[in-house]
């Protein structure tokens, strides 16, 4: 391309040398030819630059696509999702721990039966061996039962086996269960504060009647029974 432009300039130079002794009309014609040639050359070089820019951009786009590894991207996405889930689980555990650490015993008295999910306990009233999902508390100075934490009354039921039973939802997947009650002083949907009186115990005919009047108290976290005494100071 450079040789072609060089030859064109040489021919034009020779042309003007020959034109020295010609009349003005020939000079005007030559000038027009020069202007036209300049415009053509400028147009060509401008388009060539644009094509090079487009080609460069195209190569950059292609390189971007080549540098992306779909397997690596997928693995990174899985790892990030797992880390986020762990963070949320840690936050949830922290919230549960904060709530449980403020829990109080719903009845002042003596623990007459411990929590056990590994060993079976014999229940004389029904003649069966079962695990014990909570703790049994024998009253000392009062028969009144208080809510261990603030929450919402989820259910109030009465059966021959467990007497009157109350379940309170404390949020963050924490619930408490109070059974072997004689009466309940709350209703479903009622908001209660920690220490709010929810019912009272007394001697009744139930699965644990052989132990006399006492409260059967359970703690459930994420739907699983845990030992409430691990959190009550």
């Amino acid at each position: 391309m450079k040789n072609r432009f060089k030859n064109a300039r040489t021919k034009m130079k020779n042309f003007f040398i020959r034109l020295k002794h010609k009349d003005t009309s020939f000079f005007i014609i030559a000038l027009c030819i020069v202007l036209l040639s300049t415009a053509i050359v400028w147009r060509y070089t401008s388009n060539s630059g644009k094509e090079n820019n487009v080609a460069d951009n195209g190569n950059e786009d292609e390189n971007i696509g080549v540098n992306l590894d779909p397997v690596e991207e997928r693995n990174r996405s899985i790892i990030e999702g797992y880390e986020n889930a762990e963070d949320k689980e840690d936050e949830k555990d922290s919230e549960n721990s904060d709530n449980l650490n403020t829990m109080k015993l719903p009845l002042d008295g003596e623990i007459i039966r411990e929590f056990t999910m590994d060993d079976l306990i014999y229940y004389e009233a029904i003649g069966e061996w079962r695990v014990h999902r909570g703790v049994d508390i024998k009253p000392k100075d009062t028969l009144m039962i208080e809510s261990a934490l603030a929450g919402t009354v989820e259910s109030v039921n009465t059966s021959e086996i467990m007497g009157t039973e109350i379940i309170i939802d404390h949020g963050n997947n924490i619930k408490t269960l109070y059974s072997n009650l004689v009466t309940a002083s709350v209703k479903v949907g009622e908001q209660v504060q920690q220490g709010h009186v929810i019912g009272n115990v007394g001697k009744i005919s139930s699965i644990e009647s052989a132990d006399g009047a006492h409260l059967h108290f359970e703690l459930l976290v994420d739907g699983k029974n845990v030992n409430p005494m691990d959190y009550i100071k």
Side-chain angles (χ1 to χ4, degrees):
M1 182 60 66
K2 291 182 178 179
N3 291 333
R4 290 175 61 187
F5 287 156
K6 185 175 180 181
N7 292 335
R9 286 197 298 270
T10 301
K11 290 181 180 180
M12 291 176 63
K13 182 177 180 181
N14 294 333
F15 176 80
F16 281 112
I17 292 174
R18 291 195 301 269
L19 196 64
K20 279 184 178 181
H21 306 291
K22 302 293 181 179
D23 57 16
T24 307
S25 60
F26 282 97
F27 180 78
I28 294 173
I29 293 173
L31 181 61
C32 291
I33 293 173
V34 170
L35 293 175
L36 181 61
S37 300
T38 302
I40 293 172
V41 171
W42 178 83
R43 175 83 177 269
Y44 178 84
T45 55
S46 177
N47 289 340
S48 177
K50 289 180 179 179
E51 291 175 359
N52 289 336
N53 290 336
V54 171
D56 291 340
N57 291 335
N59 290 335
E60 290 178 0
D61 293 340
E62 289 177 359
N63 290 334
I64 292 174
V66 170
N67 291 333
L68 291 177
D69 186 343
V71 176
E72 183 178 349
E73 288 294 313
R74 184 183 63 183
N75 291 340
R76 184 162 62 88
S77 176
I78 292 173
I79 292 172
E80 289 178 354
Y82 177 76
E83 290 176 346
N84 291 336
E86 276 193 327
D87 291 340
K88 290 180 180 178
E89 190 65 26
D90 290 341
E91 291 176 2
K92 185 170 122 182
D93 290 342
S94 177
E95 290 177 355
N96 287 351
S97 178
D98 291 341
N99 283 356
L100 292 174
N101 286 336
T102 63
M103 187 171 63
K104 61 173 290 186
L105 206 62
L107 176 66
D108 184 23
E110 176 189 358
I111 305 297
I112 59 175
R113 182 173 285 126
E114 302 283 349
F115 170 90
T116 173
M117 296 295 287
D118 299 324
D119 299 323
L120 295 176
I121 295 175
Y122 184 72
Y123 291 87
E124 295 180 6
I126 60 174
E128 291 183 6
W129 292 86
R130 294 187 178 185
V131 296
H132 197 242
R133 301 177 184 275
V135 293
D136 290 345
I137 309 171
K138 186 176 181 178
K140 181 179 180 181
D141 298 322
T142 179
L143 299 177
M144 298 298 176
I145 307 303
E146 299 177 349
S147 177
L149 291 166
T152 304
V153 178
E154 180 179 286
S155 66
V156 178
N157 299 304
T158 301
S159 69
E160 292 183 0
I161 296 178
M162 296 305 297
T164 296
E165 179 181 271
I166 300 172
I167 297 177
I168 299 179
D169 187 347
H170 306 286
N172 294 324
N173 291 323
I174 300 173
K175 296 182 181 182
T176 50
L177 179 150
Y178 314 77
S179 65
N180 211 30
L181 306 181
V182 175
T183 60
S185 55
V186 291
K187 59 183 179 180
V188 175
E190 184 176 343
Q191 301 288 325
V192 296
Q193 298 300 316
Q194 185 180 50
H196 184 100
V197 175
I198 59 174
N200 68 284
V201 295
K203 187 171 178 59
I204 60 172
S205 177
S206 72
I207 190 174
E208 297 177 347
S209 60
D211 298 320
H214 69 276
L215 169 70
H216 177 81
F217 176 58
E218 295 183 14
L219 171 63
L220 297 94
V221 178
D222 295 327
K224 297 179 180 179
N225 286 87
V226 297
N227 190 352
M229 302 310 295
D230 289 342
Y231 302 96
I232 296 175
K233 298 179 181 180

